[in-house]
Amino acid sequence: MINRIRKLRRDHDWSQGDLAEALSVSRQTVNAIENGRYDPSLPLAFTIARVFGLRIEDIFQPEP
Amino acid sequence: MINRIRKLRRDHDWSQGDLAEALSVSRQTVNAIENGRYDPSLPLAFTIARVFGLRIEDIFQPEP
DNA sequence: CTCTAATGTCAAGTTTCCTTTACATGTCGC
DNA sequence: GCGACATGTAAAGGAAACTTGACATTAGAG
């Protein structure tokens, strides 16, 4: 999975900590997902999409 | 998370084993997800959506 | 009635997700 | 040059997702 979270977050002028708070997860979790160390759970992916007002497919893409 | 997988699977006349094979997971995993015992990972959710030709949001919904 | 396919579920084990705590680095304003 | 942020990463632990293997029940075909 590749994702556009870092770009979306910066477009909103949010720090990783800001986004983590909006998602109710730790800052390390946001950092790990942005850096592709692991994928979010499906419920967290839904929360991320809701926070950015987008669909999951607009943020995440399966790897080629 | 609630999902429509059982209905979609039956519309395609597939057994849980058939779907499991199409998804490259075990039959128990399909059964557990259909019965709401746990949510699929994000990559598996993408595969499920692809198999049914739908978007993730058309299959899964966050709980109210 | 018997055989098979389909489903539900359990136990035990591995991997992935997420936590808290902690430390290192770079940047910026003052 | 300090301090306060922002970011990256690591270790250790818990929770969730997934595996294989096994067994029980039900329903339908022959």
Side-chain angles (χ1 to χ4, degrees):
Chain A
M1 296 262 74
I2 66 181
N3 72 73
R4 303 199 299 126
I5 294 179
R6 191 183 310 257
K7 166 158 182 35
L8 292 167
R9 174 177 64 80
R10 288 189 168 150
D11 288 349
H12 287 252
D13 265 315
W14 288 344
S15 69
Q16 291 182 347
D18 292 335
L19 177 55
E21 189 175 3
L23 298 172
S24 302
V25 295
S26 70
R27 177 184 69 82
Q28 286 84 342
T29 293
V30 169
N31 184 78
I33 293 170
E34 281 194 0
N35 286 300
R37 300 213 310 220
Y38 51 74
D39 299 317
S41 67
L42 184 58
L44 181 51
F46 265 90
T47 305
I48 293 169
R50 184 172 47 74
V51 159
F52 288 121
L54 296 171
R55 287 172 305 191
I56 289 180
E57 282 87 352
D58 297 328
I59 303 177
F60 300 92
Q61 291 178 15
E63 317 233 17
Chain B
M1 295 260 73
I2 67 180
N3 71 74
R4 305 198 299 126
I5 294 180
R6 190 184 310 259
K7 166 159 182 34
L8 292 166
R9 175 176 62 80
R10 289 189 167 148
D11 288 349
H12 287 251
D13 266 315
W14 288 344
S15 68
Q16 291 182 348
D18 293 334
L19 178 55
E21 189 175 2
L23 299 171
S24 302
V25 296
S26 70
R27 179 184 68 81
Q28 286 85 337
T29 292
V30 170
N31 184 77
I33 294 170
E34 280 194 0
N35 287 299
R37 299 204 306 159
Y38 51 75
D39 298 318
S41 66
L42 184 58
L44 181 52
F46 265 90
T47 306
I48 293 169
R50 184 173 47 76
V51 159
F52 288 121
L54 295 171
R55 286 172 306 191
I56 288 180
E57 281 88 351
D58 296 329
I59 303 177
F60 300 92
Q61 291 178 14
E63 317 235 16

